[in-house]
Amino acid sequence: MRRTILAAFLLVGTVTGAAGCGGPAPVTGPSVSPSVPDSVPPSVSPSPSVPVTGPSAAPSAPSSAVPASLPDVHLPGVNDPGCRSDHPPVVLLPGTFSTVAGTYGPLATALTGAGRCVYGANYGLGGLAPVRDSATTVAGVVEGVLAATGADRVDVVAYSQGGLVLRTALRQDGLADRVGTAVLIAPTFHGTTSPLLDGVPGALCPACADQIAGSALLTELDAGGDLDGSVRYATISSRDDTVVTPVAAQSPAGPADRVTSLVVQDRCPQVRLDHVALPGDPRLIAWVGAALAAGGRPEPSAFPCAG
């Protein structure tokens, strides 16, 4: 049993040193476990520079069907239905055993500070439920964001399982024409071969079973190819990642005008970043901002080697 629990937490990279199960106030939005731990080390700098600019002006009048509120994710400035920007709204998707607040605090701060309207979707009881169910939840949040902002499309930043949730929602929940740019951080886009999954029962974590390379879900998605709609994909990975393996399989396969991928060590051989550290690293946050600003085509130099 101890091996099973340890494997489950290591799989998603949510236990970080002494922080353990500590985290923000319990999340009260739909389909979220109140005991989900944080996934970002507390020592991460919260204020990197992100090359995204723009005043808070509405691109178009919002729909009359604006929802009264969006799910509370316990991050200041996130899921504000009254936010307006010249840029597409950004939707954040976390991984397994994690939440938007636990994963994206520093990135959300950087993006909102740079004039972006930022939204987040928690799903699947902390990312445990079947990926198909989580994808349906995400599709509903995206439609709510579009209704609230009057935008035609959203951009998405997805970490770990979030990449597979997005892939499923694009294919099976009608989001292919609702997403412009997908920025993927170490995604389980093609699943993982990591032995960490060996000790996680499917009954405890259906999403874990869905993320095993060759699962029924992945086999079905692979039959239709990797790309959907006109979405542009930008993926960042690290060779230090032992959770989503092989690292080379994290990125979608597609032409250069649709898919941009960066392995951190190809740009900066000396940098060490494991799966847990990626979403909160200031250098990665700068790269995410550049990827969004460039419509999914960031230059490798957008990831600064100096930390």
Side-chain angles (χ1 to χ4, degrees):
M1 177 62 72
R2 291 181 62 190
R3 179 175 177 269
T4 295
I5 295 172
L6 177 61
F9 277 92
L10 286 176
L11 168 68
V12 296
T14 55
V15 177
T16 55
C21 292
V27 178
T28 57
S31 302
V32 179
S33 168
S35 61
V36 173
D38 282 351
S39 60
V40 175
S43 60
V44 170
S45 170
S47 303
S49 174
V50 176
V52 181
T53 59
S56 297
S60 59
S63 164
S64 59
V66 173
S69 63
L70 288 161
D72 189 357
V73 295
H74 293 283
L75 279 178
V78 176
N79 281 10
D80 175 6
C83 183
R84 299 291 178 265
S85 174
D86 285 340
H87 301 286
V90 179
V91 177
L92 307 177
L93 306 183
T96 317
F97 281 105
S98 62
T99 64
V100 172
T103 303
Y104 288 117
L107 176 61
T109 298
L111 291 176
T112 56
R116 290 273 186 172
C117 293
V118 179
Y119 302 85
N122 291 314
Y123 42 76
L125 298 173
L128 299 181
V131 168
R132 295 179 197 272
D133 294 350
S134 296
T136 299
T137 298
V138 167
V141 171
V142 168
E143 294 296 345
V145 169
L146 294 175
T149 61
D152 295 325
R153 293 185 177 187
V154 301
D155 291 337
V156 175
V157 178
Y159 168 59
S160 198
Q161 184 197 149
L164 180 56
V165 170
L166 176 62
R167 184 184 184 189
T168 306
L170 291 172
R171 183 70 51 81
Q172 300 185 352
D173 294 278
L175 284 193
D177 62 349
R178 297 287 197 264
V179 176
T181 297
V183 180
L184 309 179
I185 303 169
T188 52
F189 197 89
H190 294 115
T192 178
T193 60
S194 173
L196 292 173
L197 283 172
D198 293 345
V200 185
L204 173 66
C205 180
C208 298
D210 285 337
Q211 292 174 90
I212 296 175
S215 70
L217 172 63
L218 284 161
T219 299
E220 180 180 341
L221 292 173
D222 287 346
D226 283 4
L227 309 185
D228 286 281
S230 58
V231 179
R232 288 182 178 173
Y233 302 79
T235 304
I236 189 163
S237 307
S238 171
R239 289 201 179 91
D240 297 325
D241 192 338
T242 59
V243 175
V244 183
T245 58
V247 172
Q250 291 182 8
S251 183
D257 64 337
R258 292 285 304 279
V259 179
T260 299
S261 59
L262 174 68
V263 176
V264 167
Q265 287 76 24
D266 288 345
R267 160 75 177 151
C268 311
Q270 76 281 9
V271 171
R272 304 267 69 86
L273 280 175
D274 62 19
H275 190 77
V276 180
L278 280 165
D281 183 80
R283 297 161 295 191
L284 184 135
I285 290 172
W287 180 90
V288 169
L292 291 170
R297 297 179 179 176
E299 295 293 333
S301 59
F303 185 93
C305 292

